[in-house]
Every structure is written in structure tokens, then in C-alpha cells.
Amino acid sequence: MDYESFFKQKLQDIKIEGRYRIFADLERCAKDFPYAFYNNEGNSRRVVVWCSNDYLAMGQHEKVLNAMTEATRRVGAGAGGTRNISGTSHYHVLLEREIADLHDKEAALIFSSGYVSNEASISTLASHLPECVVFSDAHNHASIIQGIRYSGAQKEIFRHNDSLHLRELLSRYPKERPKLIVFESVYSMDGDIAPIESFCDLAEEYNALTFIDEVHAVGMYGHKGGGIAQKEKQAHRLSIIEGTLGKAFGVVGGYIASTTDLVDFVRSFASGFIFTTSMPPGVAAAALASIQHLKVSQTERLQHQETVSKVKRRLIQAGIPFIPTPSHIIPILVRNARQCQLASERLLKEHNIYVQPINYPTVPRGTERLRITPSAVHTNQMIDELVDALKSVWDDLTIEYAA
């Protein structure tokens, strides 16, 4: 087989279809986010980023930067090994205690990323619970899907956010058989929110564990930033809360929070945790500072919600088609992969606005979109410039407006 020809042809196929991923060379401005410098062909110019998951701009917050700098200068850059072999820093211990308190759980465990925390935790639980059946939402993230796949457990896929379908599937199994219901709170591509209370009711009725992915909600919702479950006063009913430190908290890493024994079980059996070099202490210190700040400060959350509302109002006025989500994620519909890529390129080249196209397989074909994620620091002028730029690109590319 001619391997290189095979690779080239496959790459050419997705380029023709408009699905080839291009990574923009960006240099974020720590004191000036959401501005960044875009480096291309030897040139650098200032652009506004509209698709970052650093929703509250905590990645540039003075407390976070100082904590990372001070910890790194004090203990060094790296952790020195896995958590078991010299890699547990006091910053890791403090961070896990803070996360447990954030979610009002007994214990927490940190991982190198949110992807790993999902994959490692789900695969460990589902593979060790005898004859476990995993009930997974149809729109769950790739990390959840991989975790279920690696576990080898039997799975049932229920229609997205459909409690009736979940009930139907649960009712097929004996109450005593181990079950794990896995879902997200805020779905990253459509911005919709799960019926958490209904899922918890079903879990209690059918004796199932619940695993909620709150990565796009932690820091953002709830009286101390614990997520949608905290906002809806359902956190105490959930078996496992999974979150990330790489979005609203502005750093990197993932975690789970649960009972002491369940967390200890994952810590003791999850290969994705046991055999991975631990998070750098400076990162742990920065995440700790971010969580501590957002647990008591409402300023960033309120500003962010106000900005999101303004963007949605302006898009409606301009007739730009978007999914009217109940969350902070705003999917602007293009519905064609090639046009979506061209729209992104034009916004960057002609308007100094960076927003990445979202195409298949991330979203189904025919639902291609620009995923706008307003931050707490986008200004009214930036909002006006974004909407004007979108209208210009929509006209140039003859993309359909909202009906």
C-alpha cells in the first residue's frame, strides 16, 4: 500500500468538502483580552477573538497570574512525576479540597484535562461495576463516548435530553442491575441545557448512578460557580460532577467531585489518572486562585450574562440566523461547510474578527455554524463591529438570513 498517497487523498477530500481544520496562529494579550495578535505569513495584526472558552477572562486575571507565577518560582515548573511517584504537590491537595467545596461534595480528583477526566472516570466505573449498563445522551461529547467504548460495558443511547426515552430504556433492566446515566449540563455546540431534575428523578426511581459533565457551566452558573446543577439546586442529587479548569476558570485540567469512596475508587483504578504525569503545581495554584475568586465574586458572571444578552438582541435585529439557546453559547447557522469556512476566513481577513468554523463531524452535515462565545470583557463597540461584519459577510457570500 502507498501510505503517503492514502494520507494525501484523505486530506484532499476534506479540503474539497471545506472540512479541513486550519489552526490560527494567535498570541493572546494577557492585559488586553479578547484582543490577540494573529500571525500569518510573517505578518502580525490585532484581532478580536469571539470563540474562546475563557468565558470570564480569568486566564488574564491578576490573582490567577500571580498565583501561577509565585507557585512556579517557589516549587518549579513541573510536577516531577505521576501523583503516586513524587508528583503530588500541596497545591494539588488544596485544589481538590476547593473543588469538593465548590460542588458541596466530599472529595474531588484532578486530571490533566476535561477529556481525560471523562474518559478515565467513565471507563473505570463502567468496566468495574458488574454488568453495568451505561445510558448516554445522544449528543454527549467524544470523551464520554470514548470512555464508554473503552469500558466495554453495555450501552443504551437515549434521544437528546429526552426523559421519556430514557425512562423507556431504564425500564427494560432489573432495578438491582448497576446503571450509569451520563449527560452534559450545557451542550457545547447547540448551547441547550439538560433536564437535570428529571434525570435525577429517573436515577432515583431506577437505582442508577448519575454522571454530569458541567465543563461549559462551572464558574458560569450557580451562587458560587458550581454550574447548572448548583443553579437548579440539584447538585446534591448527582452522583458524580465532572468539570474543567480550562474554560471559565481560565487555566487547564479536568476533575470529578463525588463521595470520598467513589473518588478514591477512581483514583485507585483509573489508568488515565494513575499513569499520567500530574498537573504542574503552578497550574494547580492558578486554578485554585480562580475558583476561590469566582466562588465569592458575582461581577464576572453578571457582566458575562449582560454581554450575552446584548449579542443575542443585536443578532435578532440584524436577522442573522442563530439557535436561540438558554445558555451563553450562540451557534450562528451557515448550513454549508464551504460557506462556513469562507465566512470565517473573510471575518478574519477583512474584519479582524476571529471565529472558527464548526463543521462535520463536530456537528451534523447541514448544520454547519460559527460558534460565538461572548466573554465578560467584550465591549459594546466590539458587539457592533461583530454584527456589522457578519452582515457584510452574509451579503458577500449570499448566506441565508433568518426568516
Coordinates of all heavy atoms in Angstrom, one line a residue, residues 180-226:
L180 N -25.5 3.5 34.9 CA -24.9 4.8 34.9 C -25.5 5.7 33.9 O -25.4 5.3 32.7 CB -23.4 4.6 34.7 CG -22.5 5.9 34.7 CD1 -22.5 6.6 36.0 CD2 -21.1 5.6 34.2
I181 N -26.1 6.8 34.3 CA -26.7 7.7 33.3 C -25.7 8.9 33.2 O -25.3 9.5 34.1 CB -28.0 8.3 33.9 CG1 -29.0 7.2 34.1 CG2 -28.6 9.3 32.9 CD1 -30.3 7.6 34.9
V182 N -25.3 9.1 31.9 CA -24.3 10.1 31.6 C -24.8 11.2 30.7 O -25.4 10.9 29.6 CB -23.0 9.5 30.9 CG1 -21.9 10.5 30.8 CG2 -22.6 8.2 31.7
F183 N -24.7 12.4 31.1 CA -25.2 13.5 30.3 C -24.4 14.8 30.6 O -23.6 14.8 31.5 CB -26.7 13.8 30.5 CG -27.0 14.0 31.9 CD1 -27.2 15.3 32.4 CD2 -27.2 13.0 32.9 CE1 -27.6 15.6 33.7 CE2 -27.5 13.2 34.2 CZ -27.7 14.5 34.6
E184 N -24.6 15.8 29.8 CA -24.0 17.1 30.0 C -25.0 18.1 30.5 O -26.2 17.9 30.3 CB -23.3 17.6 28.7 CG -22.3 16.7 28.1 CD -21.7 17.1 26.8 OE1 -21.5 18.4 26.6 OE2 -21.5 16.3 25.9
S185 N -24.5 19.2 31.1 CA -25.5 20.2 31.5 C -25.7 21.2 30.4 O -26.8 21.4 30.0 CB -24.9 20.9 32.8 OG -23.7 21.5 32.6
V186 N -24.6 21.8 29.9 CA -24.7 22.7 28.8 C -24.0 22.0 27.6 O -22.8 21.6 27.7 CB -24.0 24.1 29.0 CG1 -24.1 24.9 27.8 CG2 -24.7 24.8 30.2
Y187 N -24.7 21.9 26.5 CA -24.1 21.2 25.3 C -23.3 22.3 24.5 O -23.9 23.3 24.1 CB -25.1 20.4 24.5 CG -25.5 19.2 25.3 CD1 -26.5 19.2 26.3 CD2 -24.9 18.0 25.0 CE1 -26.8 18.0 27.0 CE2 -25.2 16.8 25.7 CZ -26.2 16.9 26.7 OH -26.5 15.7 27.4
S188 N -22.1 22.0 24.2 CA -21.2 23.0 23.6 C -21.5 23.5 22.2 O -21.2 24.6 21.9 CB -19.7 22.5 23.6 OG -19.6 21.3 22.8
M189 N -22.2 22.7 21.4 CA -22.4 23.1 20.0 C -23.8 23.7 19.9 O -24.0 24.6 19.1 CB -22.2 21.9 19.1 CG -20.8 21.5 18.9 SD -19.8 22.8 18.3 CE -18.6 23.0 19.6
D190 N -24.8 23.2 20.6 CA -26.2 23.7 20.5 C -26.5 24.7 21.6 O -27.5 25.4 21.5 CB -27.2 22.6 20.4 CG -27.1 21.8 19.1 OD1 -26.6 22.4 18.1 OD2 -27.6 20.7 19.1
G191 N -25.7 24.7 22.7 CA -26.0 25.6 23.8 C -27.2 25.3 24.6 O -27.7 26.1 25.4
D192 N -27.8 24.1 24.4 CA -29.0 23.8 25.2 C -28.7 23.1 26.5 O -27.5 22.8 26.7 CB -30.0 22.9 24.4 CG -29.3 21.6 23.8 OD1 -28.1 21.6 23.8 OD2 -30.0 20.7 23.4
I193 N -29.6 23.0 27.4 CA -29.4 22.6 28.8 C -30.2 21.3 29.1 O -31.4 21.2 28.7 CB -29.7 23.7 29.8 CG1 -28.8 24.9 29.5 CG2 -29.7 23.2 31.2 CD1 -29.1 26.1 30.3
A194 N -29.6 20.4 29.8 CA -30.2 19.1 30.1 C -31.3 19.3 31.2 O -31.2 20.2 32.1 CB -29.2 18.1 30.6
P195 N -32.3 18.5 31.2 CA -33.4 18.5 32.2 C -32.8 17.7 33.5 O -33.2 16.5 33.7 CB -34.6 17.7 31.6 CG -33.9 16.8 30.6 CD -32.7 17.5 30.1
I196 N -32.0 18.3 34.2 CA -31.2 17.7 35.3 C -32.2 17.1 36.3 O -32.0 15.9 36.8 CB -30.2 18.6 35.9 CG1 -29.2 19.1 34.9 CG2 -29.5 18.0 37.1 CD1 -28.3 20.2 35.4
E197 N -33.2 17.8 36.8 CA -34.1 17.3 37.8 C -34.8 16.1 37.4 O -34.9 15.1 38.1 CB -35.1 18.4 38.2 CG -36.0 18.0 39.3 CD -36.9 19.1 39.8 OE1 -36.9 20.2 39.1 OE2 -37.7 18.9 40.7
S198 N -35.2 16.1 36.1 CA -35.9 14.9 35.6 C -35.0 13.7 35.5 O -35.4 12.5 35.9 CB -36.5 15.2 34.2 OG -37.1 14.1 33.6
F199 N -33.8 13.9 35.1 CA -32.8 12.8 35.0 C -32.5 12.2 36.4 O -32.4 11.0 36.6 CB -31.6 13.2 34.3 CG -31.7 13.4 32.9 CD1 -30.7 14.0 32.1 CD2 -32.8 13.0 32.2 CE1 -30.8 14.2 30.7 CE2 -32.9 13.1 30.8 CZ -31.9 13.7 30.1
C200 N -32.4 13.1 37.4 CA -32.2 12.7 38.8 C -33.4 11.9 39.3 O -33.2 10.9 40.1 CB -31.9 13.9 39.7 SG -30.3 14.7 39.4
D201 N -34.6 12.3 39.0 CA -35.8 11.6 39.4 C -35.7 10.2 38.9 O -36.0 9.2 39.6 CB -37.0 12.3 38.9 CG -37.3 13.6 39.6 OD1 -36.8 13.8 40.7 OD2 -38.1 14.4 39.0
L202 N -35.3 10.0 37.6 CA -35.3 8.7 37.0 C -34.2 7.9 37.6 O -34.3 6.6 37.8 CB -35.0 8.8 35.5 CG -36.2 9.4 34.7 CD1 -35.8 9.7 33.2 CD2 -37.4 8.3 34.7
A203 N -33.0 8.5 37.9 CA -31.9 7.8 38.5 C -32.4 7.2 39.9 O -32.0 6.0 40.2 CB -30.7 8.7 38.7
E204 N -33.1 8.0 40.7 CA -33.5 7.5 42.0 C -34.6 6.4 41.8 O -34.6 5.4 42.6 CB -34.1 8.7 42.8 CG -33.0 9.7 43.2 CD -33.6 11.0 43.8 OE1 -34.8 11.1 43.9 OE2 -32.8 11.9 44.1
E205 N -35.5 6.5 40.8 CA -36.5 5.6 40.6 C -35.9 4.2 40.2 O -36.4 3.2 40.6 CB -37.5 6.1 39.6 CG -38.7 5.1 39.3 CD -39.7 5.7 38.3 OE1 -39.5 6.9 37.9 OE2 -40.6 4.9 37.9
Y206 N -34.9 4.3 39.3 CA -34.4 3.0 38.8 C -33.0 2.6 39.3 O -32.3 1.8 38.8 CB -34.3 3.2 37.2 CG -35.6 3.2 36.6 CD1 -36.3 4.4 36.3 CD2 -36.3 2.0 36.3 CE1 -37.5 4.4 35.7 CE2 -37.5 2.0 35.7 CZ -38.1 3.2 35.4 OH -39.4 3.2 34.8
N207 N -32.6 3.3 40.5 CA -31.4 2.9 41.2 C -30.2 3.0 40.3 O -29.4 2.1 40.1 CB -31.5 1.5 41.7 CG -30.4 1.1 42.7 OD1 -29.8 2.0 43.4 ND2 -30.0 -0.1 42.7
A208 N -30.0 4.2 39.7 CA -28.8 4.4 38.8 C -27.9 5.5 39.3 O -28.4 6.4 40.0 CB -29.3 4.8 37.4
L209 N -26.6 5.4 39.0 CA -25.7 6.5 39.3 C -25.9 7.5 38.2 O -26.2 7.2 37.1 CB -24.3 6.0 39.3 CG -23.8 5.0 40.4 CD1 -22.4 4.5 40.1 CD2 -23.9 5.7 41.7
T210 N -25.6 8.8 38.5 CA -25.6 9.9 37.5 C -24.2 10.5 37.4 O -23.6 10.7 38.4 CB -26.6 11.0 37.9 OG1 -26.4 11.3 39.3 CG2 -28.1 10.5 37.7
F211 N -23.9 10.8 36.2 CA -22.6 11.4 35.9 C -22.9 12.6 35.0 O -23.3 12.5 33.8 CB -21.7 10.4 35.1 CG -20.3 10.9 34.9 CD1 -19.2 10.4 35.6 CD2 -20.0 11.9 33.9 CE1 -17.9 10.8 35.4 CE2 -18.7 12.3 33.7 CZ -17.7 11.8 34.4
I212 N -22.7 13.8 35.5 CA -23.0 15.0 34.7 C -21.7 15.7 34.3 O -20.8 15.9 35.2 CB -23.9 16.0 35.5 CG1 -24.3 17.2 34.6 CG2 -23.2 16.5 36.8 CD1 -25.4 18.1 35.2
D213 N -21.6 16.1 33.1 CA -20.4 16.9 32.5 C -20.8 18.3 32.6 O -21.7 18.8 31.8 CB -20.2 16.4 31.1 CG -19.1 17.2 30.4 OD1 -18.9 18.4 30.7 OD2 -18.4 16.6 29.6
E214 N -20.2 19.1 33.4 CA -20.5 20.5 33.6 C -19.4 21.4 33.1 O -19.3 22.6 33.5 CB -20.7 20.8 35.1 CG -22.0 20.3 35.7 CD -23.0 21.3 35.9 OE1 -23.2 22.2 35.0 OE2 -23.7 21.3 36.9
V215 N -18.6 21.0 32.1 CA -17.5 21.7 31.7 C -17.8 23.1 31.1 O -17.0 24.1 31.3 CB -16.6 21.0 30.6 CG1 -16.0 19.7 31.2 CG2 -17.4 20.7 29.4
H216 N -19.0 23.3 30.5 CA -19.3 24.6 29.9 C -20.2 25.4 30.9 O -20.7 26.4 30.5 CB -20.0 24.4 28.6 CG -19.1 24.0 27.5 ND1 -18.3 24.9 26.8 CD2 -18.8 22.8 27.0 CE1 -17.6 24.3 25.9 NE2 -17.9 23.0 26.0
A217 N -20.3 24.9 32.1 CA -21.1 25.6 33.1 C -20.4 26.0 34.4 O -20.8 27.0 35.0 CB -22.3 24.7 33.4
V218 N -19.4 25.2 34.7 CA -18.7 25.6 36.0 C -18.0 27.0 35.9 O -17.5 27.4 34.9 CB -17.6 24.5 36.4 CG1 -18.3 23.2 36.8 CG2 -16.6 24.3 35.2
G219 N -18.2 27.7 37.0 CA -17.7 29.1 37.0 C -18.7 30.1 36.5 O -18.8 31.2 36.9
M220 N -19.7 29.6 35.7 CA -20.6 30.4 35.0 C -22.0 30.6 35.7 O -22.6 31.6 35.6 CB -20.8 29.9 33.6 CG -19.6 29.5 32.8 SD -18.8 31.0 32.2 CE -20.0 31.4 30.9
Y221 N -22.4 29.5 36.3 CA -23.7 29.5 36.9 C -23.7 29.0 38.3 O -22.7 28.3 38.7 CB -24.6 28.5 36.0 CG -24.7 28.9 34.6 CD1 -23.9 28.3 33.7 CD2 -25.6 29.8 34.1 CE1 -23.9 28.6 32.3 CE2 -25.7 30.1 32.8 CZ -24.9 29.5 31.9 OH -24.9 29.9 30.5
G222 N -24.7 29.3 39.1 CA -24.8 28.9 40.5 C -24.2 30.0 41.4 O -23.4 30.9 40.9
H223 N -24.6 30.0 42.6 CA -24.3 31.1 43.5 C -22.8 31.2 43.8 O -22.3 32.3 44.1 CB -25.1 31.0 44.8 CG -24.7 29.8 45.6 ND1 -25.2 28.6 45.4 CD2 -23.9 29.7 46.7 CE1 -24.8 27.7 46.2 NE2 -24.0 28.3 47.1
K224 N -22.1 30.1 43.6 CA -20.6 30.2 43.8 C -19.9 29.6 42.6 O -18.7 29.2 42.7 CB -20.1 29.5 45.1 CG -20.6 28.1 45.3 CD -20.0 27.6 46.7 CE -20.5 26.2 47.0 NZ -19.9 25.7 48.3
G225 N -20.6 29.5 41.4 CA -19.9 29.0 40.2 C -19.9 27.5 40.1 O -19.1 27.0 39.3
G226 N -20.8 26.8 40.8 CA -20.7 25.3 40.7 C -21.4 24.7 39.5 O -21.4 23.5 39.3

